[in-house]
Amino acid sequence: MGKRLSAINVENTEENRRLYRQLLFTADKSYAESISGVIFFHETLFQKADNGESFVDIVKGNGVVVGIKVDKGVVPLAGTRFNECTTQGLDGLAERCKEYKAAGADFAKWRCVLKISEHTPSTLAMVENANVLARYASICQQNGLVPIVEPEVLPDGEHDLERAQRVTEEVLSYTYRALVQHHVFLEGTLLKPNMSTAGHSCTRKYAPQDVAHATVRALSRTVPAAVPGITFLSGGQSEEDASLNLDAINKHQGRKPWALTFSYGRALQASVLKAWAGKAENVPAAQKEFLNRAKANGQAALGKYSGGVGGAATGQSLYIENHAY
């Protein structure tokens, strides 16, 4: 959140974070036609709007499910030679899940990160992160939360689309092997993967149809049909690219036994933030940007987006090198 506020020259204080979240959650409830769940941070779960109503109650009142980020961030993975990482936060997770369930959350999210380079991701990194995700998922289910499993392959690098697809397949294969070994109930999970896209520094540019073909192929080779839904992360794509690629994925011919939708942060909010700029008088304009982008992605999740929805930051690259939070 701090990076997003600094990008619009707004001080990263709890009050400014609250005001921004209030802007989103109090937008016209038509956003719930395209967005079915919102992932909160710990802080957000206990914040309230100006009228004293909790954000949890506001969101649930619109028919939207509340989720919670439960990991505690990425840390270096000891024993790797090329700065690979894993994610911390398993200690005390069961107790936190109980607290979050009591506070109104019904699902959780945990992010692991892998990088593509000449020597990575290593087998050690893939196995370790898969096991961490599986342990997290099992603990969530034992405490009444639906786990979103997020093994993100970062877009950093010069690799082409074919390499991205191969690595994504390998990462997902290790992930589902671990989930099965840990007796995770797959029907009670969601997957939040990267789309198979070329590295940010790759000189070759690919059409949305190319991304769709590589992404669907990687998923069809690795993700069991028992998994009910796949909610893509945007991975530094521009708002419009993320919508066009999601639309192409849903239009792609072939066997797709899962719901294919979005779980975007930057690609849903970049125009909102730019329009708001921390000023109360800009709230209506920012909320309009939010509704427009939500509708565009909702259409893309049905394969019915024709493109062209403008915005304050629609075509802007949202790539962040070594993105961590």
Side-chain angles (χ1 to χ4, degrees):
M1 190 69 196
K3 293 178 182 177
R4 295 175 187 175
L5 293 179
S6 65
I8 57 171
N9 297 314
V10 172
E11 186 180 1
N12 183 23
T13 64
E14 182 177 355
E15 177 61 10
N16 283 336
R17 294 192 297 272
R18 188 193 68 83
L19 289 171
Y20 175 64
R21 290 160 180 155
Q22 177 176 253
L23 177 164
L24 296 174
F25 301 152
T26 60
D28 187 272
K29 62 177 60 178
S30 62
Y31 79 83
E33 297 172 7
S34 302
I35 295 173
S36 60
V38 178
I39 301 170
F40 282 25
F41 286 92
H42 176 92
E43 174 184 86
T44 322
L45 201 61
F46 304 99
Q47 287 180 323
K48 298 180 180 180
D50 290 343
N51 65 2
E53 187 176 8
S54 73
F55 285 161
V56 169
D57 288 342
I58 291 173
V59 169
K60 287 193 167 187
N62 289 333
V64 176
V65 182
V66 171
I68 181 73
K69 175 185 182 291
V70 296
D71 71 73
K72 294 191 174 182
V74 298
V75 292
L77 177 57
T80 58
R81 297 175 57 196
F82 300 99
N83 300 317
E84 294 183 280
C85 57
T86 187
T87 304
Q88 60 185 349
L90 289 173
D91 288 350
L93 178 59
E95 290 73 20
R96 297 202 307 279
C97 286
K98 291 175 184 176
E99 176 189 8
Y100 295 146
K101 181 69 175 179
D106 288 308
F107 70 95
K109 188 200 83 130
W110 181 293
R111 174 180 182 253
C112 284
V113 176
L114 297 111
K115 305 171 185 177
I116 298 178
S117 71
E118 182 180 358
H119 303 289
T120 62
S122 65
T123 300
L124 172 59
M126 289 187 286
V127 170
E128 164 63 17
N129 282 287
N131 281 317
V132 166
L133 285 166
R135 291 178 64 195
Y136 140 78
S138 178
I139 293 169
C140 282
Q141 290 186 339
Q142 291 172 32
N143 290 280
L145 297 178
V146 172
I148 293 182
V149 176
E150 183 179 358
E152 179 179 3
V153 180
L154 292 176
D156 306 47
E158 301 176 353
H159 54 273
D160 61 14
L161 182 60
E162 291 72 21
R163 178 87 194 282
Q165 178 189 323
R166 290 196 304 272
V167 172
T168 298
E169 289 177 12
E170 194 169 10
V171 168
L172 291 176
S173 294
Y174 278 105
T175 299
Y176 278 99
R177 182 170 184 263
L179 289 169
V180 170
Q181 289 176 329
H182 284 256
H183 309 292
V184 172
F185 180 63
L186 296 182
E187 290 85 349
T189 66
L190 294 171
L191 174 67
K192 182 175 178 176
N194 53 283
M195 297 178 189
S196 293
T197 59
H200 184 75
S201 301
C202 180
T203 56
R204 180 179 173 183
K205 302 305 176 185
Y206 295 86
Q209 293 73 23
D210 299 321
V211 172
H213 179 76
T215 300
V216 172
R217 177 167 287 187
L219 296 173
S220 66
R221 290 174 172 175
T222 55
V223 182
V227 176
I230 295 173
T231 65
F232 292 103
L233 57 90
S234 54
Q237 301 176 74
S238 71
E239 290 181 333
E240 184 70 350
D241 284 348
S243 297
L244 289 171
N245 286 336
L246 178 61
D247 180 72
I249 287 169
N250 277 286
K251 285 176 176 171
H252 184 74
Q253 297 299 309
R255 181 174 175 274
K256 296 172 293 185
W258 338 267
L260 297 166
T261 184
F262 64 96
S263 179
Y264 295 164
R266 287 168 284 170
L268 184 63
Q269 301 175 49
S271 288
V272 181
L273 284 160
K274 193 169 184 179
W276 175 53
K279 300 177 181 178
E281 62 268 27
N282 292 342
V283 166
Q287 289 178 327
K288 184 178 179 180
E289 294 277 13
F290 173 54
L291 295 174
N292 286 342
R293 206 71 246 166
K295 184 177 180 180
N297 287 311
Q299 292 172 340
L302 299 173
K304 296 181 178 180
Y305 180 60
S306 55
V309 172
T314 299
Q316 175 183 323
S317 172
L318 305 177
Y319 169 72
I320 299 174
E321 186 176 2
N322 289 318
H323 183 46
Y325 59 90

